[in-house]
Amino acid sequence: MKILVTGGTGYIGSHTVVELQNAGYDVVIIDNFDNSHPSVLQNIEKISGKKAIFEKLDIRNKQALKDFVSTHKDILAVIHFAASKAVGESVENPLKYYENNVGGTVNLLEAMQENGIDNIVFSSSCTVYGEANPPVNEDAPIMLAQSPYGNTKQICEEVLLDQTKASNLKTVSLRYFNPVGAHDSALIGELPLGIPNNLVPFITQTAAGKREVLTVFGNDYNTPDGTCIRDFIHVVDLAKAHIKAVEYLINKKHTSSFSVFNLGTGKGSSVLEVINTFEKVTGVKLNYKIGQRRVGDITQIFAGCDKAEKDLDWKTERDLENCMKTAWAWEKHLENNVNSQS
Ligand code: NAD
Ligand code: WQD
C-alpha cells in the first residue's frame, strides 16, 4: 500500500499526503524544497500522526531518481506534483519550465518503467482549455497555450498518452481549476514566495497588512458584476480526489489506460464575490481598488464535474466560505510562525 508522491511537501502535495495517510497508505515523498519548506514534514506528521518516508531529491537528476525508486519496488502508484508553477516566471524563463516540468516528468516515467511501476496520477490544469464556454467538460478542445507553463501541462499530457500507448502505464490526468484554502488544522497551506500572483494569497496578505492594497484586475468584463469568474476548489477536496484517482487505477476501475478528469466545484465565483465572502467570514475589511485588466486573463471559467462524480465517485464538500475561513487561519498561522517557515 505504498504510494510515491513527488512534490509532496508543496501546497497540494502536502494535503494529499495527509489524506493518503488517513486512508491507510504508506507514503514516500520526494521533493527538492524548491518551493516548500522542510517544516511541512513535521506538520504533516502532527496532523496524521504518521511519518512519511522522505528523500530530498531533484527529479531533474535522472540517475538519483532511478536509484531511489529502485529501492522502493513495492510502490503501487505515483502521484506527480513536482513542477514549477509561476505563469509569469515561465514567460521570462521558459527553459526552466520545460526542463523541470517536461524533463522531470520524462525522468520519472523512465524510473517507473525500469522498476515496473505502472500507475501515475498527474497534476494538470484547467489552463489547457484557455477561454471556453463554461461549464467546461473534459472533451472541450485543448487551446493554444497562453504561457510556457500552460504548454508544459499540455506537453506532459501528450508524453503520458504516448507512453501509455507504448507500455503498461496507466494514467489519470487531473485538471485542477483554482485550488484555494488550507487544512483545518492551519498547519499546512500555500506558501507563496515573494509577491503572490494568485488572488486568495493576495487577499489574505493584504488583510494581514503585508500588502497595502489588493488590485481587482478589471471590472468591465461581460459578467454580472464585471469581474472575472473562476471555479475555486478547496485544497482538501482536491486532495481527496487524488486518493479516488489512485484507487481508480489500482482497483482497475478504469476502462481506458489514459483518463482525464476535471476537478472543480462546478460553480463559478467572481473576484468581487470572493472578496465579499472573505470579509463576511473573517470580519476583516479588505483594502482593495479596481484597476486595469491583467494581460492574459480569461473572462470566466468553471468546471463541468460530472465525469469525476460518476467515475471517481468524488465531489466537493466545501464551499467558498470554508475556503476563505481556512485560508485566513493559515495566514495567521504563518504570521505567528514566521521564524519556523522562512
Ligand atoms: P507547489 O509549488 O506548492 O508544490 C510543488 C512542489 O514540487 C514543491 O514542494 C517544490 O519544491 C517541488 N518541486 C518542484 N520542482 C521539483 C523538482 N525538480 N524535484 C523535486 N521537487 C520539485 O505547487 P502546488 O500548488 O502544490 O502544485 C502542485 C502541482 O499542481 C504542480 O504540478 C502544479 O503545476 C499543478 N497545478 C497547480 C495549480 C495551483 O493553482 N496551485 C493549478 C493547477 C495545477
Ligand atoms: C484569479 C482571478 C485575476 C490577483 C492561475 C494560473 C492557472 C492555474 C491557477 C496552475 C483573475 C484576479 C488576481 C490579484 C485580481 N495554475 N486577480 N487581483 O489566473 O485563474 O489561474 O492559477 O495551473 O494556470 O494562470 O488565478 O488566482 O491568479 O486569478 O483581481 O491581485 O483573480 O484577474 O480574474 P488564474 P489567479
Side-chain angles (χ1 to χ4, degrees):
M1 297 283 278
K2 197 186 272 182
I3 309 295
L4 174 66
V5 181
T6 75
T9 52
Y11 174 42
I12 306 168
S14 57
H15 290 82
T16 303
V17 170
V18 166
E19 295 305 323
L20 282 166
Q21 291 175 325
N22 288 345
Y25 291 95
D26 292 328
V27 179
V28 179
I29 299 174
I30 55 181
D31 203 297
N32 65 354
F33 296 133
D34 189 53
N35 198 35
S36 55
H37 194 275
S39 61
V40 173
L41 291 166
Q42 284 108 55
N43 288 338
I44 288 174
E45 196 180 335
K46 274 190 208 159
I47 298 169
S48 69
K50 291 176 191 158
K51 210 182 183 74
I53 298 169
F54 176 77
E55 183 80 1
K56 184 166 185 241
L57 200 152
D58 191 317
I59 59 167
R60 286 170 293 190
N61 186 339
K62 191 193 290 196
Q63 198 52 52
L65 181 61
K66 285 184 177 179
D67 291 347
F68 180 74
V69 173
S70 72
T71 62
H72 292 280
K73 286 209 189 299
D74 50 346
I75 288 168
L76 284 177
V78 177
I79 308 182
H80 179 32
F81 294 105
S84 305
K85 64 164 181 178
V87 175
E89 185 193 43
S90 80
V91 176
E92 283 154 28
N93 191 357
L95 297 184
K96 173 180 171 184
Y97 279 71
Y98 289 111
E99 186 193 23
N100 202 27
N101 297 8
V102 181
T105 299
V106 171
N107 290 347
L108 180 65
L109 291 174
E110 280 187 30
M112 289 173 66
Q113 186 166 33
E114 273 188 24
N115 292 284
I117 303 169
D118 292 336
N119 301 307
I120 188 166
V121 176
F122 175 68
S123 298
S124 188
S125 169
C126 69
T127 191
V128 302
Y129 297 121
E131 181 107 53
N133 275 338
V136 179
N137 295 313
E138 290 82 353
D139 52 12
I142 301 294
M143 302 304 275
L144 191 67
Q146 294 289 307
S147 70
Y149 167 76
N151 204 22
T152 67
K153 293 296 169 192
Q154 298 189 5
I155 294 170
C156 283
E157 284 201 0
E158 287 172 4
V159 170
L160 285 159
L161 177 60
D162 288 344
Q163 178 66 358
T164 300
K165 287 181 192 156
S167 70
N168 292 327
L169 187 71
K170 317 277 182 303
T171 300
V172 169
S173 184
L174 300 175
R175 293 178 180 160
Y176 314 153
F177 281 64
N178 289 56
V180 292
H183 195 265
D184 291 326
S185 64
L187 288 170
I188 52 173
E190 187 168 13
L191 205 60
L193 293 178
I195 301 171
N197 296 307
N198 296 116
L199 178 64
V200 175
F202 212 107
I203 288 178
T204 57
Q205 290 196 6
T206 307
K210 289 185 193 164
R211 311 274 154 217
E212 203 188 319
V213 57
L214 166 80
T215 303
V216 173
F217 296 139
N219 68 348
D220 57 351
Y221 285 95
N222 185 20
T223 61
D225 66 21
T227 63
C228 293
I229 290 174
R230 297 288 182 274
D231 186 339
F232 297 94
I233 174 172
H234 196 287
V235 67
V236 172
D237 278 332
L238 187 65
K240 287 180 177 169
H242 291 74
I243 286 74
K244 296 284 191 178
V246 161
E247 291 175 350
Y248 182 72
L249 290 174
I250 62 180
N251 296 335
K252 307 207 181 316
K253 291 186 208 150
H254 54 282
T255 48
S256 160
S257 45
F258 182 88
S259 322
V260 173
F261 294 99
N262 285 343
L263 298 180
T265 65
K267 182 178 177 298
S269 304
S270 75
V271 173
L272 283 179
E273 276 170 345
V274 175
I275 292 171
N276 293 338
T277 306
F278 178 84
E279 290 185 331
K280 181 180 157 208
V281 299
T282 64
V284 180
K285 190 95 191 73
L286 201 65
N287 186 26
Y288 71 90
K289 63 174 189 195
I290 307 296
Q292 296 295 309
R293 290 183 177 198
R294 182 172 69 178
V295 175
D297 274 341
I298 57 171
T299 303
Q300 62 166 330
I301 190 162
F302 52 91
C305 310
D306 294 355
K307 190 172 177 222
E309 187 170 347
K310 183 168 156 281
D311 293 356
L312 297 182
D313 187 27
W314 169 89
K315 62 178 182 188
T316 55
E317 291 165 353
R318 294 168 184 247
D319 60 14
L320 191 60
E321 291 198 1
N322 188 270
C323 291
M324 293 303 116
K325 195 172 143 235
T326 55
W328 182 231
W330 167 244
E331 179 64 47
K332 286 193 288 192
H333 167 90
L334 282 179
E335 268 179 69
N336 297 332
N337 294 270
V338 75
N339 294 324
S340 65
Q341 296 289 341
S342 56

mmCIF file of all heavy atoms in Angstrom, residues 72-73 103 136 141 199 215 256 339:
data_model
loop_
_atom_site.group_PDB
_atom_site.id
_atom_site.type_symbol
_atom_site.label_atom_id
_atom_site.label_comp_id
_atom_site.label_asym_id
_atom_site.label_seq_id
_atom_site.Cartn_x
_atom_site.Cartn_y
_atom_site.Cartn_z
ATOM 1 N N HIS A 72 12.572 1.115 -3.762
ATOM 2 C CA HIS A 72 11.160 1.044 -3.304
ATOM 3 C C HIS A 72 10.325 0.334 -4.367
ATOM 4 O O HIS A 72 9.424 0.918 -4.944
ATOM 5 C CB HIS A 72 10.611 2.442 -3.041
ATOM 6 C CG HIS A 72 11.246 3.110 -1.876
ATOM 7 N ND1 HIS A 72 10.882 2.851 -0.577
ATOM 8 C CD2 HIS A 72 12.251 4.004 -1.801
ATOM 9 C CE1 HIS A 72 11.628 3.565 0.247
ATOM 10 N NE2 HIS A 72 12.477 4.270 -0.475
ATOM 11 N N LYS A 73 10.632 -0.923 -4.588
ATOM 12 C CA LYS A 73 9.983 -1.633 -5.695
ATOM 13 C C LYS A 73 8.499 -1.946 -5.424
ATOM 14 O O LYS A 73 7.771 -2.323 -6.344
ATOM 15 C CB LYS A 73 10.739 -2.929 -5.977
ATOM 16 C CG LYS A 73 12.062 -2.688 -6.688
ATOM 17 C CD LYS A 73 12.438 -3.869 -7.550
ATOM 18 C CE LYS A 73 13.840 -3.785 -8.102
ATOM 19 N NZ LYS A 73 14.127 -2.654 -8.952
ATOM 20 N N GLY A 103 11.009 17.711 -18.637
ATOM 21 C CA GLY A 103 12.160 16.823 -18.416
ATOM 22 C C GLY A 103 11.979 15.986 -17.156
ATOM 23 O O GLY A 103 12.246 14.777 -17.152
ATOM 24 N N VAL A 136 -17.068 23.772 -18.454
ATOM 25 C CA VAL A 136 -16.141 23.160 -19.402
ATOM 26 C C VAL A 136 -15.962 21.685 -19.050
ATOM 27 O O VAL A 136 -15.562 21.348 -17.938
ATOM 28 C CB VAL A 136 -14.776 23.880 -19.342
ATOM 29 C CG1 VAL A 136 -13.800 23.242 -20.310
ATOM 30 C CG2 VAL A 136 -14.937 25.355 -19.645
ATOM 31 N N PRO A 141 -12.056 21.305 -26.475
ATOM 32 C CA PRO A 141 -10.763 21.255 -27.168
ATOM 33 C C PRO A 141 -9.643 21.906 -26.354
ATOM 34 O O PRO A 141 -9.875 22.852 -25.600
ATOM 35 C CB PRO A 141 -11.006 22.049 -28.451
ATOM 36 C CG PRO A 141 -12.268 22.798 -28.239
ATOM 37 C CD PRO A 141 -13.059 22.101 -27.179
ATOM 38 N N LEU A 199 -5.034 35.232 -6.519
ATOM 39 C CA LEU A 199 -5.978 36.099 -5.816
ATOM 40 C C LEU A 199 -6.034 35.843 -4.303
ATOM 41 O O LEU A 199 -5.907 36.793 -3.514
ATOM 42 C CB LEU A 199 -7.381 35.909 -6.434
ATOM 43 C CG LEU A 199 -8.505 36.708 -5.782
ATOM 44 C CD1 LEU A 199 -8.285 38.209 -5.949
ATOM 45 C CD2 LEU A 199 -9.857 36.304 -6.375
ATOM 46 N N THR A 215 -5.412 44.940 -5.806
ATOM 47 C CA THR A 215 -5.989 45.494 -7.038
ATOM 48 C C THR A 215 -6.859 44.435 -7.696
ATOM 49 O O THR A 215 -6.398 43.318 -7.950
ATOM 50 C CB THR A 215 -4.872 45.925 -8.021
ATOM 51 O OG1 THR A 215 -4.029 46.860 -7.352
ATOM 52 C CG2 THR A 215 -5.447 46.552 -9.273
ATOM 53 N N SER A 256 -10.179 2.924 -19.668
ATOM 54 C CA SER A 256 -9.156 3.321 -20.631
ATOM 55 C C SER A 256 -7.856 3.493 -19.851
ATOM 56 O O SER A 256 -7.886 3.850 -18.674
ATOM 57 C CB SER A 256 -9.576 4.649 -21.277
ATOM 58 O OG SER A 256 -8.454 5.278 -21.837
ATOM 59 N N ASN A 339 9.355 32.579 11.966
ATOM 60 C CA ASN A 339 10.738 32.099 12.029
ATOM 61 C C ASN A 339 10.882 30.657 11.595
ATOM 62 O O ASN A 339 11.865 30.280 10.979
ATOM 63 C CB ASN A 339 11.284 32.277 13.443
ATOM 64 C CG ASN A 339 11.376 33.743 13.763
ATOM 65 O OD1 ASN A 339 11.683 34.524 12.878
ATOM 66 N ND2 ASN A 339 11.093 34.111 14.994
#
